[in-house]
Amino acid sequence: MTRTLGTCYYPEHWPEAWWPEDARRMADLGLTWVRIGEFAWSKIEPAPGALRWDWLDRAVDVLTGAGLRVVMGTPTATPPRWMLTKHPDMLAVDAQGHPRGFGSRRHYCFSHRGYRKEAVRIATLMAERYGDRVAAWQTDNEYGCHDTVLSYSDAARDAFRDWLRRRYQTTDQLNAAWGNVFWSMDYASFDEIDLPNLTVTEPNPSHAMAFRRFASDEVVAFNRAQVDAIRAHSDAPIAHNYMGRVTEFDHYEVGADLDIASWDSYPMGFLLDRVGASEADKQAYLRQGDPDFQAFHHDLYRAVGRDRWWVMEQQPGPVNWAPWNPAPLPGMVRLWSWEAFAHGAEAVCWFRWRQAPMAQEQQHAGLLRPDSAPAQGFHEAAQVARELAEAPEVAPVRAPVALVFDYASQWAWEVQPQGQGFDHFGLCLDLYRGLRGLGLSVDILPPDSADLSGYALTLVPGLLNLSDALRAAIAAAPGLVLTGPRTDLKSPEIAIRTPLGPDLPGLPAQSVMEETFPDRRQLERGGAIKLWLEHLETEADVIERTADGTPVLLRAGRRFHLTGWPDRDAARRLLGMLAREAGLGTIELPDGLRVRDTGTERFVFNYAAHPQEFEGHLIAAADLLRLPRPS
Amino acid sequence: MTRTLGTCYYPEHWPEAWWPEDARRMADLGLTWVRIGEFAWSKIEPAPGALRWDWLDRAVDVLTGAGLRVVMGTPTATPPRWMLTKHPDMLAVDAQGHPRGFGSRRHYCFSHRGYRKEAVRIATLMAERYGDRVAAWQTDNEYGCHDTVLSYSDAARDAFRDWLRRRYQTTDQLNAAWGNVFWSMDYASFDEIDLPNLTVTEPNPSHAMAFRRFASDEVVAFNRAQVDAIRAHSDAPIAHNYMGRVTEFDHYEVGADLDIASWDSYPMGFLLDRVGASEADKQAYLRQGDPDFQAFHHDLYRAVGRDRWWVMEQQPGPVNWAPWNPAPLPGMVRLWSWEAFAHGAEAVCWFRWRQAPMAQEQQHAGLLRPDSAPAQGFHEAAQVARELAEAPEVAPVRAPVALVFDYASQWAWEVQPQGQGFDHFGLCLDLYRGLRGLGLSVDILPPDSADLSGYALTLVPGLLNLSDALRAAIAAAPGLVLTGPRTDLKSPEIAIRTPLGPDLPGLPAQSVMEETFPDRRQLERGGAIKLWLEHLETEADVIERTADGTPVLLRAGRRFHLTGWPDRDAARRLLGMLAREAGLGTIELPDGLRVRDTGTERFVFNYAAHPQEFEGHLIAAADLLRLPRPS
Amino acid sequence: MTRTLGTCYYPEHWPEAWWPEDARRMADLGLTWVRIGEFAWSKIEPAPGALRWDWLDRAVDVLTGAGLRVVMGTPTATPPRWMLTKHPDMLAVDAQGHPRGFGSRRHYCFSHRGYRKEAVRIATLMAERYGDRVAAWQTDNEYGCHDTVLSYSDAARDAFRDWLRRRYQTTDQLNAAWGNVFWSMDYASFDEIDLPNLTVTEPNPSHAMAFRRFASDEVVAFNRAQVDAIRAHSDAPIAHNYMGRVTEFDHYEVGADLDIASWDSYPMGFLLDRVGASEADKQAYLRQGDPDFQAFHHDLYRAVGRDRWWVMEQQPGPVNWAPWNPAPLPGMVRLWSWEAFAHGAEAVCWFRWRQAPMAQEQQHAGLLRPDSAPAQGFHEAAQVARELAEAPEVAPVRAPVALVFDYASQWAWEVQPQGQGFDHFGLCLDLYRGLRGLGLSVDILPPDSADLSGYALTLVPGLLNLSDALRAAIAAAPGLVLTGPRTDLKSPEIAIRTPLGPDLPGLPAQSVMEETFPDRRQLERGGAIKLWLEHLETEADVIERTADGTPVLLRAGRRFHLTGWPDRDAARRLLGMLAREAGLGTIELPDGLRVRDTGTERFVFNYAAHPQEFEGHLIAAADLLRLPRPS
Ligand SMILES: [Zn+2]
Ligand SMILES: [Zn+2]
Ligand SMILES: [Zn+2]
């Protein structure tokens, strides 16, 4: 695989006279890809049916003429104002019942069938016109950004009722599945069922979970409709650009309809607005981003894309949308880019070519300043391009450790956290940090993974329910498997399993009580459990306990189960023990230093704001080290 | 009085085949009571008018056949979905104007006359059918839980206007009573008056206070309608299960229509979500609950029930609804239960018999696990049953100290706190803590109490307005009486008294200025005043001052008045001085250790997570000590 | 100029029999002014068209008969309830779409044309009747208080569309000005444009900024309509009473239509609810108010009133509306009053004469208690009256330092702060503090100031865009001028300038990157930059840098530019350097001590709660010192 670079470009934002020079400079910089089109609907179709392709034809001509390969985005994240006149009820509605109006972007409800047809129509028209001329496609833009998956509109309500009819057939079966008898919540007709917002106290978690599954399915269907439309006219691969820590729909399912996964990586904004970092970490990594958050997403989208994945938008400087927006430390733009490649990215594209002087993102840096002079990121991009030109071809590689991440579990614990802060993503990220702090490279796996045979160690934390496939894979796994905490205690409808869960291959145990708490429970041998502790009855060996004797780590042969959420010290200690048991070499890495192994190289990244040493090498702040992969 | 035990049971949640075994195990455990029915409306009447009594008949048969006594709950907290089709406008509306919909419970507006008729209808049908077969009744469930007393619906608005017409006769009188001239707020017709939500800045406090009185009256009327319906067909005593720190309606007034008061005691959830505890106290009592909060409610409901009171729902393990839900320390389930008896409870019933595997409360522990095995609480319940079997009959007993608690004052200071955090309940609880820290047992009294002759010391803090009855009782009291702070400064309409209040028997004083503050004002002799300080002109002796000389404690003979809200140190010191002056023996109890005297015994409860000594006895964590009552 | 005193009085709140005695006591106290009428609409016109002037005639008779001069307020801040029946759509609507209803005050939308006519009608009627009898007018009351400038009503939307038509002529021009191409936000008709609320993510800042300019214009037009109505019938000067830190409309523009500016000064409430003070400062100044906040407003309204300005409402004791409401330290009522005069006030009027026992402000102190006895403020008012009687006539005086404050810049940075906490008012107040801490007196200037020739030093911080007039004035200024941070980087539409800004006379520089951050960037020589840092390319001298070398202070001759927001240490150090460079004498004042020079006197105010020394004089807590102005 040849690794490539690119950028995002908006010809409609600039005088046409500038396009040739822009294209030339992109090519000179060493870029391969240029993404265009994804916000341009009002220029393509300024009035209903009045199509204006000429300018876009010429833009494609100019760009391809300069040797660039075009990624064409469908513009469905920004329907023009006339669309709303045509479909006044197409807006999403928030949980309080307020419509989410025109004036920015993503102002549509995924369930509105009229708008879905419009999306297919424009995608079809673009695919017909550019199917042979572009090198790749992007559907829409950042599904779910700005909390846009969950809509409480009439369109969503009607579609939800249809979805329930298909899933449950009869209200009797739905009532039974949800346990509606609990508070006289039984329904006699699907038309009686509302969306689970504005209830007096929390709705039935089964009701809420059904809505979450439905909402994800609506995104999948919306995307699939566009994909089908494009495929009918183009052989170019299709991608979508997922957004960091947007978990309201199942990315694996959307990804199954696509050829390439990609994501938009804004490490510094993420640190302040979604990582959930401590104040100390925010301080330490303010101008670098969290040392593990990007890597987690890289590994996630490698799974979503079945090894074909990109960074579609890479932060090149300060952005505009985080609580504060500092400039990256010099070197970080290069570091982030190389880190993506170290995790197997095919391409890294910087967002955006030139900073726009107007509208919402005018304070978002580009590779160029608004006056077209090179910005900080330009020079680092140039360095990456030079370095990449000298780098070898690479092939995908399996990591020795796997971690199962599951969107449905994320929804389940949002619906029923049981204790403030319980979160599947957060739990997985904490364990991922623990593994990374030991120098381990990790593969992220979907919850229906059927084969763990390649992994020395597999972690299955916080999984709502083990699928049959995964249960069989665990049973057959030759390596170590660690389940828990809060794994397989519930049915897919969020009901307590009968008999009591978890139902773990080779490790018989029953959780007889679960508790959550704001404080910590110290372990006998160091570190602590926070937030969650399940009390198990088991025949397995107890190899770690809390100071007051509650079992924390169970073992039966090569199967392990964790009963609580470990803090950093406990995670590092316990995971280190497991890794060594699994025959893996571990390195106790200091904060901010991170290792990633590819098939041929070992990359060492220094996210710290000060130099750090690694095996005798001094790595400057925001710098990286490339070593041969250790054998 | 024989003290008894019970549990809450939902036959409709379980296979009928399980009922006999459940009933037998309850009886074997030593339980007397089983509460059923209160959420079962959709099973009793699955469609409008289609009544299904057979299953409930059989459930009653099975339970009574096992020797249990049934408490039947009217199911009006959970109207079925068809009710909403019949009465689409029955929903409560929140202060922002959003309807509070179906999908959980308590989805009705107390002012909706159509729903009130439905509630009377189902209560009548149940009373007709079971009036002779059940041993007690419960109306509805936890009035006011989930903030359901205040509704801003059209039904509430119309009923409020009617209520105003009855109270004020003419708008001229209303305008005068409220001082509407202040900002040209005069009304010319009752139909011009809206509910006091969504105003530009705060509404007239008299307007808001009228709405609060009205809303309480609606609960009283709703309950009374059910009580009348039941009484027409049953001689069994009627109770309602009040919820901890729900103060939006007058429990004394509802209680006046009932035979028994009961409340639902969840000490650990309360600590985290409503006690208002400091972070240190949350840490110290995370698995025990606040050491005074339950006792306060026990004493309150002894007053509400005129000595007949129960704990209808007692926490048996972790619950599901608090911010975090840890497991109680071993021993606490027993301790809480005995504490209720020490305060004079007739019965303690654990909620619930078996943990439900489905729906909203699936993480709420029962005496049994979902798989029917005994849970932690079961064993402690068994111990209480054994201990109770050996305990003597008891009779109600007066405490030496009284504290007046008043719902209208709670509403008044919510309407007009004057400083963030000023709260009648909180003030009363703080003084109650001060008394309890001195080893004193306390009676809580309603604001219309006419006889204080039995009390060596009576506290009347934060009372909006002294009733004529209470003023006369204070004048006649042979014991000490402490009024203030913020007592009797206003009219019942929330207007400043003319001449200036307070109007205290035997202690002439006028408050000429009131101030609130976020910091503390130190007292000359230790401790401090927080949040509130009224500046009095008085002829009485000043026996305590702030460091800068402001009078804090006034004395005229056996009458005392406090001008500020004392912190813990000041409360203990000042109340200790008063108690000794009143001839009461005091004990300086350490944190977490609490004493309650009955007619024959002295109970000492250790809420701490470590052993503590009391008069030479070592009491384990979460344990209790029973001594003979000191003479 | 003779300096005078007054009070606010509500004859409609009191028995008519009390009026003569009240008037006599006011006159005896030494008051000149009595403001009446501004909340009395329902008494003047209890039903539509039914006018009742008799009582107001008699009130004016009594007050003028006692020698007092009447300020008559138009009652348009409190339309009676019948107005809403007449104009049901006159209410403002909040950003969530909820109407802001009747029941308090300010319940009208500035854009409602029907209500505007009613306001003109009542103002006309009052002017016709009292035009010859009153000594001054006040329009409405505290425009913008309770967040009432921005309304999202249909009336506002329609008026906004008209405003846009006038401003932009065509949607093509609007689309270009706003950069609507950015996210396909183009409009084809003005009727497609909604207000910028309820968008999915933030609206186009140009859209939001246009709405902010429109909303301010609506206040100006509303006020102007009343002014025109009054002027047609009265020669008395017209004022409006602005409220502290209400910045949603352009006070300079409203002021241009008035004769006198006045503001309502509540130092203690402001400290807790709008100054943005640190916890330490809240603690230190709880009973005094912020040492610079009042002075800043005094200087601001001196500019708004073109040297004619009053304090229309001066706090006389505890108020009712702040988070907490303590009593002022003895002496502060006098101090605040003298401070206003030291800044050039013509008159200071205390709000209110007598504390009202009813309605929303019953806990708001007056000069009299509710029972008509003198309250704390009365005695301090009497002292001010005595002192003023012995004080000389004064004339307005220019300060040596100027600071430009601009409402449009306030709106711009609210629309696009780029980092949490960035705020034009806050930045100006911080620099004003820095100047005051050096003992400097300051003039505040509007952004279209065309002449800086009188100032040794002028500060122009955080200005969205330099007007042509101000740019020319800077170019011509003989004194020092300091621009920045964040000055002139944008167009008036909030778009990045082309070529890159700022465009500063005599100091060529271009900002190539701006960043915001929650931490501090230390300066080489002490102090730090917080929140904002712009990176400039410049030929100018860099005379201060951050520790990592980023230019912080640029100099070209007598022109200086600051690139970041200085903390207190940095502000004092840098401003001190500039002041000395400008030839100004500086004094390093301790916290709480503040100096203000008039033409003849030097006033020294001690806001601290402890005595402080100034040049050998000991000034008691809450006291002031009057010295001859140093030559
Ligand atoms: Zn709403
Ligand atoms: Zn009957
Ligand atoms: Zn006229």
Side-chain angles (χ1 to χ4, degrees), chain A residues 200, chain B residues 76-79 83-84 87-94 98-102 105-119 140 143-160 195 211 214-223 226:
Chain A
V200 173
Chain B
T76 50
T78 50
M83 187 71 75
L84 202 53
H87 302 288
D89 57 348
M90 66 172 279
L91 295 176
V93 170
D94 73 19
H98 306 139
R100 304 187 68 191
F102 184 84
R105 61 180 186 176
R106 303 210 56 72
H107 43 280
Y108 68 87
C109 174
F110 278 101
S111 293
H112 193 272
R113 296 302 183 258
Y115 183 63
R116 196 178 290 180
K117 276 185 198 148
E118 300 275 0
D140 201 277
Y143 290 137
C145 194
H146 319 306
D147 194 16
T148 48
V149 170
L150 303 182
S151 165
Y152 300 88
S153 69
D154 289 354
R157 181 202 57 206
D158 293 347
F160 182 51
L195 299 177
F211 177 63
F214 154 79
S216 176
D217 285 357
E218 292 290 272
V219 178
V220 173
F222 183 91
N223 181 69
Q226 287 201 30

Side-chain angles (χ1 to χ4, degrees), chain B residues 251-266:
Chain B
H251 297 203
Y252 300 119
E253 285 200 52
V254 166
D257 291 324
L258 299 169
D259 303 294
I260 299 170
S262 77
W263 79 290
D264 296 349
S265 178
Y266 294 95

Side-chain angles (χ1 to χ4, degrees), chain B residues 500-550:
Chain B
L500 297 176
D503 175 11
L504 305 171
L507 199 154
Q510 285 195 307
S511 176
V512 300
M513 182 171 67
E514 293 109 33
E515 54 174 335
T516 58
F517 33 85
D519 57 349
R520 309 226 160 185
R521 303 274 173 93
Q522 297 303 315
L523 302 191
E524 282 173 338
R525 299 177 201 160
I529 291 300
K530 63 182 186 183
L531 200 45
W532 175 270
L533 189 60
E534 58 205 46
H535 294 254
L536 294 180
E537 289 183 355
T538 181
E539 302 299 310
D541 294 338
V542 176
I543 61 175
E544 286 275 342
R545 295 181 185 272
T546 62
D548 69 358
T550 308

Side-chain angles (χ1 to χ4, degrees), chain C residues 124 128 229 232-233:
Chain C
T124 300
E128 286 175 343
H233 301 281

Side-chain angles (χ1 to χ4, degrees), chain A residues 94 96-98, chain B residues 94 96-98, chain C residues 94 96-98:
Chain A
D94 73 18
Q96 295 300 300
H98 306 140
Chain B
D94 73 19
Q96 295 301 301
H98 306 139
Chain C
D94 73 18
Q96 295 301 300
H98 307 139

Side-chain angles (χ1 to χ4, degrees), chain B residues 53 56-57 60 72 126-134 137:
Chain B
W53 297 114
L56 188 53
D57 291 350
V60 171
M72 181 65 79
M126 292 181 85
E128 285 174 346
R129 191 162 194 98
Y130 301 109
D132 301 333
R133 306 183 60 200
V134 303
W137 292 91

